[in-house]
Amino acid sequence: MKALFRAHGVRVPCGAVISYETENLVDDTHACLRQILHDMSYFEDAGKNLTPGSLGPFTVIAKNAASDASEGITQANVIELQPNTEDGGATYQIEPLVSLVRNMQSNFHQNVLVEQYIAGREFNLSVLERWEEDPTAPSGARRTMQLLPLAEMLAHPTPEAVAKGFRNIMTYEAKWIEGTHDYDALGRQLPAENVSPALEAELRRAALGAFRALGLVDYARVDIRVDSHERAYVLEANYPPCLELDTGFPCCLEEAHIPFPTFLSQVLYNAQLRARLGRLRKQRVRNAVAQAAEVLGDRAVVQAAAASPPPS
């Protein structure tokens, strides 16, 4: 998914996967970090050859590659790696990361994705696709993308948690386990405050770019982190996002004063209009084939096209 984002000009954190079937976890972890630094050199630092020695301490986050809903993510999944002084900073001291990856693979039996950690604000952007009939459009319909009010995930950790290195990330406990520190500390601010016009434009470009890059339809929620330079990094596109009424997307609908039944009606209308446009496109192709064959004098093609039933 993230390679597709990058191919469409959508910025994402640099990352690499460590296989569950690895035969040498230490070597593969070193290779993973080399790949991340290589990608950061290429995509973010104008061709600079980043090394542990030149970059210094480097913070990464490890995630299950095939899970959702933050399964397996805890505060311990964010690790600050230190350059290895024994080899002059050619590598990182990877023992904490190796231990974490080994534990995750043992518990969840899947590949682990290691990414650069983007320390900064986290936003949820909900996108609603609208189709409307438009006789002036070549297709007979017009598509618009509505960005719902921005939501920001804010943290209010205890001093004890801050002292232990608390990070503003959506852990599994923060999402699902009531009574835990993360659940109580992390919450949604809707609408988000202190968002400059430039940052809002950056978030909008990232969210709509992710939606289009994946060819999504109807609705989605895009999770984005913003660094200290207000550059937006897309973490993932949730499609379809959860529609329980107290979750992110429905709350953004409410903030936009869009009743839930109106949203459902729009989704159904989108599907009906797409189906009708699909039938029209098929009929146009059929007619074009018949016309081309007639011009070329290919009677067999003309007869086949004429005999074919119209699309249902």
Side-chain angles (χ1 to χ4, degrees):
M1 177 188 294
K2 294 194 175 182
L4 188 58
F5 284 157
R6 186 171 282 141
H8 284 78
V10 177
R11 186 184 291 110
V12 296
C14 295
V17 171
I18 299 177
S19 172
Y20 172 63
E21 299 177 345
T22 178
E23 295 181 357
N24 191 321
L25 182 55
V26 171
D27 286 353
D28 283 0
T29 302
H30 278 302
C32 169
L33 293 173
R34 285 196 300 271
Q35 182 65 52
I36 294 174
L37 293 186
H38 172 273
D39 289 351
M40 289 175 62
S41 300
Y42 182 81
F43 291 109
E44 298 190 11
D45 286 274
K48 294 180 181 178
N49 183 25
L50 294 177
T51 65
S54 65
L55 185 61
F58 180 46
T59 304
V60 297
I61 182 170
K63 310 174 184 178
N64 289 328
S67 294
D68 62 1
S70 295
E71 182 184 41
I73 295 181
T74 71
Q75 289 289 329
N77 287 49
V78 180
I79 294 178
E80 183 180 272
L81 302 173
Q82 301 295 328
N84 194 339
T85 57
E86 295 182 0
D87 59 15
T91 63
Y92 278 109
Q93 299 174 15
I94 63 169
E95 291 77 11
L97 181 57
V98 169
S99 176
L100 171 63
V101 171
R102 181 178 289 115
N103 184 59
M104 293 174 67
Q105 291 180 337
S106 175
N107 289 335
F108 299 101
H109 310 287
Q110 59 180 278
N111 299 341
V112 173
L113 171 65
V114 179
E115 289 182 332
Q116 65 177 129
Y117 174 69
I118 308 301
R121 303 169 72 180
E122 181 167 336
F123 294 89
N124 298 155
L125 281 84
S126 296
V127 181
L128 175 60
E129 178 189 49
R130 293 182 180 274
W131 278 95
E132 299 176 286
E133 293 191 53
D134 184 355
T136 65
S139 64
R142 178 168 50 90
R143 179 197 192 204
T144 58
M145 313 296 293
Q146 180 179 358
L147 191 64
L148 303 183
L150 307 182
E152 182 175 4
M153 306 312 296
L154 294 182
H156 302 284
T158 63
E160 293 78 11
V162 172
K164 293 179 181 178
F166 176 87
R167 308 278 185 168
N168 180 18
I169 60 173
M170 292 306 297
T171 63
Y172 187 82
E173 288 187 349
K175 286 186 176 180
W176 307 112
I177 310 300
E178 295 186 33
T180 61
H181 172 270
D182 283 9
Y183 188 93
D184 294 333
L186 287 156
R188 182 188 306 113
Q189 183 184 72
L190 178 64
E193 299 176 359
N194 300 317
V195 178
S196 67
L199 177 55
E200 183 173 358
E202 170 79 356
L203 291 168
R204 179 182 181 84
R205 282 192 296 270
L208 296 183
F211 194 95
R212 295 188 179 107
L214 297 180
L216 304 182
V217 298
D218 297 326
Y219 63 101
R221 193 193 76 237
V222 183
D223 297 340
I224 299 175
R225 288 188 77 93
V226 177
D227 68 8
S228 59
H229 302 290
E230 293 198 339
R231 296 180 298 185
Y233 290 78
V234 171
L235 301 181
E236 62 178 341
N238 294 272
Y239 178 76
C242 180
L243 291 181
E244 293 185 18
L245 295 181
D246 61 344
T247 58
F249 191 91
C251 288
C252 289
L253 285 172
E254 183 178 4
E255 183 66 25
H257 305 293
I258 300 174
F260 198 75
T262 300
F263 156 69
L264 295 179
S265 296
Q266 180 67 60
V267 171
L268 292 174
Y269 180 76
N270 288 352
Q272 291 170 346
L273 191 53
R274 281 196 304 269
R276 192 171 72 187
L277 291 174
R279 291 194 294 269
L280 288 173
R281 281 193 290 267
K282 289 180 182 178
Q283 187 61 61
R284 288 171 183 162
V285 170
R286 196 184 304 278
N287 292 342
V289 170
Q291 291 170 5
E294 187 171 3
V295 170
L296 296 173
D298 190 334
R299 294 182 179 276
V301 173
V302 173
Q303 292 172 355
S308 300
S312 58

mmCIF file of all heavy atoms in Angstrom, residues 210-235:
data_model
loop_
_atom_site.group_PDB
_atom_site.id
_atom_site.type_symbol
_atom_site.label_atom_id
_atom_site.label_comp_id
_atom_site.label_asym_id
_atom_site.label_seq_id
_atom_site.Cartn_x
_atom_site.Cartn_y
_atom_site.Cartn_z
ATOM 1 N N ALA A 210 -4.172 9.983 -0.940
ATOM 2 C CA ALA A 210 -4.237 8.579 -0.522
ATOM 3 C C ALA A 210 -5.518 7.924 -1.023
ATOM 4 O O ALA A 210 -5.510 6.774 -1.486
ATOM 5 C CB ALA A 210 -4.155 8.484 1.001
ATOM 6 N N PHE A 211 -6.635 8.636 -0.949
ATOM 7 C CA PHE A 211 -7.931 8.114 -1.403
ATOM 8 C C PHE A 211 -7.861 7.766 -2.888
ATOM 9 O O PHE A 211 -8.286 6.686 -3.315
ATOM 10 C CB PHE A 211 -9.016 9.165 -1.145
ATOM 11 C CG PHE A 211 -10.421 8.660 -1.243
ATOM 12 C CD1 PHE A 211 -11.117 8.251 -0.109
ATOM 13 C CD2 PHE A 211 -11.074 8.594 -2.465
ATOM 14 C CE1 PHE A 211 -12.428 7.784 -0.198
ATOM 15 C CE2 PHE A 211 -12.379 8.145 -2.567
ATOM 16 C CZ PHE A 211 -13.056 7.733 -1.427
ATOM 17 N N ARG A 212 -7.303 8.678 -3.669
ATOM 18 C CA ARG A 212 -7.232 8.457 -5.123
ATOM 19 C C ARG A 212 -6.200 7.386 -5.477
ATOM 20 O O ARG A 212 -6.404 6.597 -6.402
ATOM 21 C CB ARG A 212 -6.906 9.767 -5.823
ATOM 22 C CG ARG A 212 -7.999 10.826 -5.690
ATOM 23 C CD ARG A 212 -7.697 12.040 -6.562
ATOM 24 N NE ARG A 212 -8.748 13.043 -6.460
ATOM 25 C CZ ARG A 212 -8.627 14.189 -5.807
ATOM 26 N NH1 ARG A 212 -7.487 14.493 -5.203
ATOM 27 N NH2 ARG A 212 -9.624 15.054 -5.760
ATOM 28 N N ALA A 213 -5.074 7.371 -4.760
ATOM 29 C CA ALA A 213 -4.015 6.408 -5.073
ATOM 30 C C ALA A 213 -4.505 4.973 -4.960
ATOM 31 O O ALA A 213 -4.117 4.105 -5.755
ATOM 32 C CB ALA A 213 -2.818 6.629 -4.147
ATOM 33 N N LEU A 214 -5.375 4.705 -3.991
ATOM 34 C CA LEU A 214 -5.884 3.352 -3.781
ATOM 35 C C LEU A 214 -7.149 3.078 -4.576
ATOM 36 O O LEU A 214 -7.677 1.960 -4.532
ATOM 37 C CB LEU A 214 -6.158 3.115 -2.291
ATOM 38 C CG LEU A 214 -4.942 3.176 -1.364
ATOM 39 C CD1 LEU A 214 -5.348 2.920 0.076
ATOM 40 C CD2 LEU A 214 -3.872 2.179 -1.801
ATOM 41 N N GLY A 215 -7.660 4.091 -5.296
ATOM 42 C CA GLY A 215 -8.890 3.895 -6.065
ATOM 43 C C GLY A 215 -10.092 3.642 -5.175
ATOM 44 O O GLY A 215 -10.973 2.851 -5.537
ATOM 45 N N LEU A 216 -10.148 4.300 -4.013
ATOM 46 C CA LEU A 216 -11.241 4.064 -3.085
ATOM 47 C C LEU A 216 -12.522 4.725 -3.570
ATOM 48 O O LEU A 216 -12.495 5.634 -4.407
ATOM 49 C CB LEU A 216 -10.879 4.597 -1.692
ATOM 50 C CG LEU A 216 -9.587 4.042 -1.090
ATOM 51 C CD1 LEU A 216 -9.367 4.599 0.306
ATOM 52 C CD2 LEU A 216 -9.621 2.512 -1.051
ATOM 53 N N VAL A 217 -13.639 4.258 -3.045
ATOM 54 C CA VAL A 217 -14.941 4.832 -3.383
ATOM 55 C C VAL A 217 -15.745 5.056 -2.107
ATOM 56 O O VAL A 217 -15.511 4.429 -1.077
ATOM 57 C CB VAL A 217 -15.745 3.923 -4.352
ATOM 58 C CG1 VAL A 217 -15.014 3.755 -5.669
ATOM 59 C CG2 VAL A 217 -16.022 2.562 -3.724
ATOM 60 N N ASP A 218 -16.656 6.009 -2.188
ATOM 61 C CA ASP A 218 -17.676 6.281 -1.163
ATOM 62 C C ASP A 218 -17.135 6.990 0.081
ATOM 63 O O ASP A 218 -17.472 8.137 0.334
ATOM 64 C CB ASP A 218 -18.432 5.011 -0.770
ATOM 65 C CG ASP A 218 -19.208 4.434 -1.936
ATOM 66 O OD1 ASP A 218 -19.697 5.218 -2.768
ATOM 67 O OD2 ASP A 218 -19.318 3.206 -2.022
ATOM 68 N N TYR A 219 -16.324 6.329 0.885
ATOM 69 C CA TYR A 219 -15.877 6.967 2.119
ATOM 70 C C TYR A 219 -14.661 6.236 2.675
ATOM 71 O O TYR A 219 -14.458 5.043 2.410
ATOM 72 C CB TYR A 219 -16.992 7.014 3.165
ATOM 73 C CG TYR A 219 -17.471 5.644 3.618
ATOM 74 C CD1 TYR A 219 -17.037 5.114 4.829
ATOM 75 C CD2 TYR A 219 -18.349 4.892 2.853
ATOM 76 C CE1 TYR A 219 -17.468 3.868 5.257
ATOM 77 C CE2 TYR A 219 -18.789 3.648 3.271
ATOM 78 C CZ TYR A 219 -18.345 3.140 4.466
ATOM 79 O OH TYR A 219 -18.769 1.899 4.880
ATOM 80 N N ALA A 220 -13.852 6.968 3.432
ATOM 81 C CA ALA A 220 -12.675 6.373 4.069
ATOM 82 C C ALA A 220 -12.187 7.312 5.158
ATOM 83 O O ALA A 220 -12.571 8.482 5.210
ATOM 84 C CB ALA A 220 -11.565 6.125 3.049
ATOM 85 N N ARG A 221 -11.342 6.782 6.041
ATOM 86 C CA ARG A 221 -10.662 7.604 7.042
ATOM 87 C C ARG A 221 -9.170 7.427 6.853
ATOM 88 O O ARG A 221 -8.667 6.302 6.827
ATOM 89 C CB ARG A 221 -11.049 7.202 8.463
ATOM 90 C CG ARG A 221 -10.619 8.233 9.512
ATOM 91 C CD ARG A 221 -10.705 7.707 10.931
ATOM 92 N NE ARG A 221 -9.609 6.810 11.251
ATOM 93 C CZ ARG A 221 -9.769 5.558 11.666
ATOM 94 N NH1 ARG A 221 -10.969 5.029 11.788
ATOM 95 N NH2 ARG A 221 -8.713 4.806 11.947
ATOM 96 N N VAL A 222 -8.461 8.539 6.710
ATOM 97 C CA VAL A 222 -7.021 8.506 6.472
ATOM 98 C C VAL A 222 -6.315 9.016 7.733
ATOM 99 O O VAL A 222 -6.602 10.116 8.207
ATOM 100 C CB VAL A 222 -6.638 9.372 5.255
ATOM 101 C CG1 VAL A 222 -5.134 9.272 4.980
ATOM 102 C CG2 VAL A 222 -7.431 8.926 4.016
ATOM 103 N N ASP A 223 -5.402 8.210 8.263
ATOM 104 C CA ASP A 223 -4.649 8.573 9.470
ATOM 105 C C ASP A 223 -3.314 9.178 9.062
ATOM 106 O O ASP A 223 -2.564 8.583 8.271
ATOM 107 C CB ASP A 223 -4.435 7.353 10.357
ATOM 108 C CG ASP A 223 -5.741 6.759 10.864
ATOM 109 O OD1 ASP A 223 -6.751 7.490 10.857
ATOM 110 O OD2 ASP A 223 -5.752 5.577 11.256
ATOM 111 N N ILE A 224 -3.015 10.349 9.606
ATOM 112 C CA ILE A 224 -1.852 11.125 9.171
ATOM 113 C C ILE A 224 -1.109 11.660 10.391
ATOM 114 O O ILE A 224 -1.731 12.138 11.335
ATOM 115 C CB ILE A 224 -2.289 12.305 8.276
ATOM 116 C CG1 ILE A 224 -2.990 11.789 7.010
ATOM 117 C CG2 ILE A 224 -1.106 13.199 7.910
ATOM 118 C CD1 ILE A 224 -3.559 12.894 6.141
ATOM 119 N N ARG A 225 0.211 11.578 10.345
ATOM 120 C CA ARG A 225 1.033 12.240 11.353
ATOM 121 C C ARG A 225 1.786 13.395 10.695
ATOM 122 O O ARG A 225 2.109 13.340 9.498
ATOM 123 C CB ARG A 225 2.009 11.264 12.014
ATOM 124 C CG ARG A 225 1.303 10.284 12.947
ATOM 125 C CD ARG A 225 2.284 9.451 13.730
ATOM 126 N NE ARG A 225 2.886 10.179 14.823
ATOM 127 C CZ ARG A 225 2.421 10.194 16.076
ATOM 128 N NH1 ARG A 225 1.312 9.532 16.380
ATOM 129 N NH2 ARG A 225 3.042 10.854 17.015
ATOM 130 N N VAL A 226 2.049 14.421 11.481
ATOM 131 C CA VAL A 226 2.686 15.639 10.980
ATOM 132 C C VAL A 226 3.961 15.884 11.780
ATOM 133 O O VAL A 226 3.938 15.879 13.017
ATOM 134 C CB VAL A 226 1.732 16.846 11.110
ATOM 135 C CG1 VAL A 226 2.418 18.125 10.663
ATOM 136 C CG2 VAL A 226 0.471 16.600 10.286
ATOM 137 N N ASP A 227 5.080 16.108 11.069
ATOM 138 C CA ASP A 227 6.338 16.326 11.768
ATOM 139 C C ASP A 227 6.509 17.788 12.162
ATOM 140 O O ASP A 227 5.608 18.619 11.973
ATOM 141 C CB ASP A 227 7.522 15.819 10.930
ATOM 142 C CG ASP A 227 7.770 16.639 9.673
ATOM 143 O OD1 ASP A 227 7.127 17.701 9.494
ATOM 144 O OD2 ASP A 227 8.615 16.217 8.858
ATOM 145 N N SER A 228 7.662 18.126 12.690
ATOM 146 C CA SER A 228 7.904 19.479 13.192
ATOM 147 C C SER A 228 7.937 20.518 12.084
ATOM 148 O O SER A 228 7.824 21.721 12.350
ATOM 149 C CB SER A 228 9.225 19.516 13.975
ATOM 150 O OG SER A 228 10.311 19.109 13.150
ATOM 151 N N HIS A 229 8.105 20.078 10.828
ATOM 152 C CA HIS A 229 8.088 20.994 9.683
ATOM 153 C C HIS A 229 6.706 21.063 9.026
ATOM 154 O O HIS A 229 6.570 21.605 7.939
ATOM 155 C CB HIS A 229 9.128 20.561 8.648
ATOM 156 C CG HIS A 229 10.534 20.507 9.178
ATOM 157 N ND1 HIS A 229 11.253 21.633 9.501
ATOM 158 C CD2 HIS A 229 11.333 19.442 9.470
ATOM 159 C CE1 HIS A 229 12.454 21.275 9.956
ATOM 160 N NE2 HIS A 229 12.517 19.958 9.950
ATOM 161 N N GLU A 230 5.703 20.481 9.692
ATOM 162 C CA GLU A 230 4.326 20.420 9.199
ATOM 163 C C GLU A 230 4.235 19.697 7.857
ATOM 164 O O GLU A 230 3.447 20.049 6.987
ATOM 165 C CB GLU A 230 3.700 21.819 9.109
ATOM 166 C CG GLU A 230 3.497 22.463 10.474
ATOM 167 C CD GLU A 230 2.513 23.613 10.469
ATOM 168 O OE1 GLU A 230 2.273 24.189 9.384
ATOM 169 O OE2 GLU A 230 1.983 23.931 11.555
ATOM 170 N N ARG A 231 5.049 18.653 7.726
ATOM 171 C CA ARG A 231 4.931 17.759 6.574
ATOM 172 C C ARG A 231 4.042 16.590 6.975
ATOM 173 O O ARG A 231 4.239 15.994 8.043
ATOM 174 C CB ARG A 231 6.308 17.256 6.128
ATOM 175 C CG ARG A 231 7.230 18.342 5.616
ATOM 176 C CD ARG A 231 8.572 17.780 5.191
ATOM 177 N NE ARG A 231 9.280 17.161 6.315
ATOM 178 C CZ ARG A 231 10.522 16.686 6.234
ATOM 179 N NH1 ARG A 231 11.180 16.751 5.090
ATOM 180 N NH2 ARG A 231 11.107 16.156 7.292
ATOM 181 N N ALA A 232 3.086 16.274 6.131
ATOM 182 C CA ALA A 232 2.106 15.227 6.445
ATOM 183 C C ALA A 232 2.597 13.875 5.943
ATOM 184 O O ALA A 232 3.010 13.748 4.782
ATOM 185 C CB ALA A 232 0.761 15.568 5.815
ATOM 186 N N TYR A 233 2.534 12.871 6.815
ATOM 187 C CA TYR A 233 2.899 11.489 6.477
ATOM 188 C C TYR A 233 1.657 10.615 6.655
ATOM 189 O O TYR A 233 1.115 10.526 7.758
ATOM 190 C CB TYR A 233 4.005 10.968 7.395
ATOM 191 C CG TYR A 233 5.357 11.598 7.193
ATOM 192 C CD1 TYR A 233 5.635 12.867 7.700
ATOM 193 C CD2 TYR A 233 6.371 10.931 6.513
ATOM 194 C CE1 TYR A 233 6.875 13.451 7.524
ATOM 195 C CE2 TYR A 233 7.620 11.506 6.339
ATOM 196 C CZ TYR A 233 7.870 12.769 6.851
ATOM 197 O OH TYR A 233 9.099 13.341 6.678
ATOM 198 N N VAL A 234 1.231 9.969 5.600
ATOM 199 C CA VAL A 234 0.066 9.085 5.682
ATOM 200 C C VAL A 234 0.483 7.764 6.320
ATOM 201 O O VAL A 234 1.400 7.086 5.832
ATOM 202 C CB VAL A 234 -0.543 8.847 4.289
ATOM 203 C CG1 VAL A 234 -1.619 7.754 4.357
ATOM 204 C CG2 VAL A 234 -1.142 10.134 3.743
ATOM 205 N N LEU A 235 -0.180 7.412 7.414
ATOM 206 C CA LEU A 235 0.084 6.129 8.074
ATOM 207 C C LEU A 235 -0.692 5.012 7.407
ATOM 208 O O LEU A 235 -0.158 3.935 7.132
ATOM 209 C CB LEU A 235 -0.281 6.210 9.558
ATOM 210 C CG LEU A 235 0.436 7.270 10.383
ATOM 211 C CD1 LEU A 235 -0.021 7.183 11.839
ATOM 212 C CD2 LEU A 235 1.949 7.109 10.291
#
